[in-house]
Amino acid sequence: MSSSSVREGAGESSRSGFARAVARLPASIIEGLSRSIARRAPRSRPRGVQHHPPEGPPPLAPPSPAPFVPEELFFFSTFEQQYGSHHPFFYGCRFSEVLGIARREGKHVFLYLHDPDHPYTEPFCRGTLCSDVVVEFLDANFVSWAAVSGRGEGSGMVASLQPGSFPFCAVVATVSGDSITVLQRVEGPVTPSELVEILQRTIDEQRAAFRASTADDQAAAFRASRAKEEERRRSALRLRQEQDAAYQESLRKDQEKERSIKSLQEGIRMPRPSPNYPGQAARETAKPTQIRAPMRKETVPAQRSEANTKIMIRFPNGERRQQSFHHTDTIREIYKYVNSLGIPGIGQYQLVRTYPSKTYGHQQLAMTLRDAGFHPSVTLYIEQLQ
């Protein structure tokens, strides 16, 4: 095979590699590259203007300028000229764009900093980075990005990561925005199996950490739910205790009131001798009638000696009334008692028991207090109907 055909084959391989590198660029970079090439293209001659070459020997052609290579493609042009096109799929864009791609795909970023002049670079690239097992593993599990250590973003990465030796590889993940955290560093030459083992161990560690974090979040949520439920239970218990205390206090006051009224009635029934006032006996006889008349208004229905069920009734305006009934009385008697009080603003209503929650409307008027579970005492609320 002639040397010219070898050069042509090498040129064709370089052009195909460059085309593959351009194909993996984002649309914004391809558009900018097209505009740059268009500006460098020679302008066409206007119509009707003929070109007459000068007489004499043709002038020597000026040397062709070096092709313009965007900074994002400089790694590809350097790498593929020396090692060929069989390598992991490196994204030809800025590092911030690669972080966005990794976030969308739910993967970590494999970062490679290429130092063409380092003695370990060539054996690492040929024997490890371009091996089939490493290429397949990286393409399946990572979003890969590479840069030349002394150019563009590669210089910034060297200053930020400060590699101790080359070749340098790292596994990075996004924290927030463009901030990154380094999960694993690989410095110096390694075999393909060693590199794959290191990367697989990093993936497993991150998955375990994610599962542990998820379990911690679930445990924290469960504890918060338990605490909230316990707080609701304590609130309900406090409310019942306050209601019971209020009921007992009201019951105590009513009992004291009844005892004072009973004592007053007993004192009235005993006539006191008064020889100096002949008409005193007649007046003493009339006094019980005058005193008992308003008492019958307060005690509807009339109290019986065997009354043994205390009913505490709370009204919407906050007022409370207590009355004693016999356990054989019906709920109708409670309605009659409430209606006899003449408290304004009640309107249509029904009786409600809070614990256990139950409503006693007109369907339960014939139910006895014992059957309703009101004996020996209960608290009822007035619930107004719309």
Side-chain angles (χ1 to χ4, degrees):
M1 183 181 294
S2 63
S3 60
S4 61
S5 61
V6 171
R7 285 193 300 272
E8 291 176 359
E12 181 65 26
S13 175
S14 177
R15 286 190 297 271
S16 63
F18 182 77
R20 281 192 298 271
V22 172
R24 54 171 69 97
L25 286 174
S28 60
I29 296 179
I30 294 178
E31 183 180 354
L33 181 60
S34 301
R35 288 197 296 267
S36 176
I37 294 175
R39 286 196 297 267
R40 293 173 178 271
R43 298 182 179 178
S44 59
R45 185 179 295 106
R47 294 182 180 179
V49 178
Q50 298 181 357
H51 175 68
H52 300 281
E55 297 180 356
L60 297 175
S64 58
F68 170 74
V69 178
E71 193 61 44
E72 291 81 0
L73 291 179
F74 186 79
F75 166 76
F76 294 103
S77 62
T78 302
F79 190 89
E80 293 191 348
Q81 284 178 5
Q82 188 170 1
Y83 305 109
S85 59
H86 182 69
H87 55 73
F89 186 90
F90 292 103
Y91 281 82
C93 56
R94 298 184 62 82
F95 185 68
S96 59
E97 298 179 56
V98 169
L99 294 179
I101 296 172
R103 279 194 296 266
R104 290 192 295 271
E105 295 187 5
K107 297 180 179 179
H108 298 312
V109 177
F110 175 80
L111 169 68
Y112 170 60
L113 294 180
H114 182 69
D115 185 359
D117 300 328
H118 198 278
Y120 291 151
T121 297
E122 182 173 359
F124 173 78
C125 292
R126 293 190 184 277
T128 300
L129 193 60
C130 294
S131 64
D132 292 338
V133 62
V134 172
V135 171
E136 294 177 3
F137 187 83
L138 288 178
D139 290 349
N141 298 281
F142 291 91
V143 174
S144 301
W145 185 84
V148 178
S149 60
R151 292 181 60 97
E153 286 191 284
S155 300
M157 286 297 175
V158 171
S160 176
L161 301 177
Q162 296 183 353
S165 178
F166 287 94
F168 176 82
C169 304
V171 176
V172 300
T174 58
V175 178
S176 61
D178 292 340
S179 300
I180 63 171
T181 179
V182 179
L183 305 178
Q184 185 63 262
R185 299 166 67 100
V186 181
E187 300 182 0
V190 290
T191 64
S193 59
E194 290 174 342
L195 180 60
V196 170
E197 181 181 358
I198 294 172
L199 297 178
Q200 184 63 58
R201 186 170 61 248
T202 303
I203 294 175
D204 295 340
E205 291 173 354
Q206 294 305 310
R207 287 176 180 172
F210 176 77
R211 285 194 296 268
S213 175
T214 303
D216 291 342
D217 293 343
Q218 292 175 349
F222 177 74
R223 288 193 296 270
S225 177
R226 284 283 301 274
K228 188 179 295 184
E229 183 64 27
E230 183 66 19
E231 179 61 26
R232 283 198 296 265
R233 189 188 67 80
R234 286 196 295 265
S235 298
L237 180 60
R238 283 196 300 268
L239 178 61
R240 285 199 299 269
Q241 291 174 346
E242 292 172 358
Q243 290 176 347
D244 292 342
Y247 172 77
Q248 294 297 331
E249 178 65 19
S250 177
L251 183 61
R252 184 187 63 79
K253 291 181 179 179
D254 290 341
Q255 290 173 348
E256 291 179 354
K257 182 178 179 181
E258 287 181 1
R259 283 195 296 267
S260 62
I261 294 174
K262 187 176 180 180
S263 300
L264 180 61
Q265 289 175 347
E266 290 176 353
I268 293 173
R269 291 193 189 99
M270 296 177 62
R272 289 177 295 178
S274 181
N276 296 329
Y277 298 96
Q280 184 70 27
R283 286 193 295 271
E284 291 291 339
T285 306
K287 282 183 180 179
T289 304
Q290 295 174 0
I291 294 176
R292 281 196 295 270
M295 288 178 59
R296 282 197 295 270
K297 184 176 180 181
E298 288 293 330
T299 57
V300 178
Q303 293 187 4
R304 293 177 288 180
S305 59
E306 65 272 15
N308 55 4
T309 302
K310 301 290 186 180
I311 306 295
M312 170 68 72
I313 301 175
R314 295 192 176 188
F315 293 86
N317 60 1
E319 186 176 351
R320 295 178 298 180
R321 295 291 181 91
Q322 180 175 288
Q323 181 64 22
S324 297
F325 296 88
H326 195 270
H327 64 274
T328 58
D329 289 340
T330 62
I331 294 178
R332 187 187 306 276
E333 299 300 326
I334 303 177
Y335 274 91
K336 288 182 180 180
Y337 169 70
V338 173
N339 295 336
S340 68
L341 297 177
I343 296 178
I346 296 180
Q348 296 293 326
Y349 67 94
Q350 61 184 2
L351 299 174
V352 178
R353 186 178 184 180
T354 57
Y355 187 79
S357 179
K358 190 172 181 181
T359 301
Y360 300 90
H362 293 283
Q363 294 82 2
Q364 292 81 22
L365 291 178
M367 183 183 295
T368 65
L369 304 187
R370 179 173 56 189
D371 294 340
F374 293 174
H375 178 73
S377 62
V378 73
T379 299
L380 299 177
Y381 291 82
I382 298 295
E383 183 181 78
Q384 294 177 301
L385 302 177
Q386 298 295 334

